[in-house]
């Protein structure tokens, strides 16, 4: 809840789209649903964002999830 409050109170925001594999298993994230707060370790920076929407793309044998993440600008 604290992360959502911080993002909500922030000034400028960006919507970032990320395409990720859909990985399932005991220690894997699986489907990342809307409302989840995630941390991204990017090449130049580490940031947190709130998942706003998700789509799933199936092209056997690969299943991908496309998430839209709201983050501070």
């Amino acid at each position: 809840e604290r992360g959502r409050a911080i993002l909500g109170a922030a000034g400028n925001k960006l919507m970032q789209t990320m395409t990720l594999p859909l990985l399932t298993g005991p220690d894997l994230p699986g489907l990342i649903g809307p409302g989840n707060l995630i941390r991204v370790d990017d090449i130049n920076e580490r940031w947190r964002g709130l998942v706003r929407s998700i789509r799933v793309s199936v092209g056997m044998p690969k299943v991908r999830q496309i998430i839209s993440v709201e983050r501070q600008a």
Side-chain angles (χ1 to χ4, degrees):
E1 292 301 318
R2 181 175 167 225
R4 290 187 187 112
I6 290 170
L7 275 174
N12 295 335
K13 296 181 182 80
L14 294 173
M15 287 300 287
Q16 184 147 352
T17 302
M18 302 172 66
T19 301
L20 309 164
L22 181 56
L23 303 172
T24 58
D27 295 325
L28 300 172
L31 189 66
I32 303 170
N36 282 318
L37 188 63
I38 63 169
R39 185 183 83 193
V40 177
D41 294 325
D42 210 345
I43 294 171
N44 297 319
E45 65 179 324
R46 176 183 287 171
W47 54 272
R48 293 181 189 270
L50 183 64
V51 177
R52 291 296 188 180
S53 66
I54 182 170
R55 290 178 308 168
V56 175
S57 170
V58 179
M60 297 310 283
K62 296 180 181 178
V63 179
R64 302 223 177 262
Q65 54 186 327
I66 301 100
I67 61 175
S68 293
V69 182
E70 180 182 345
R71 62 174 283 202
Q72 288 181 332

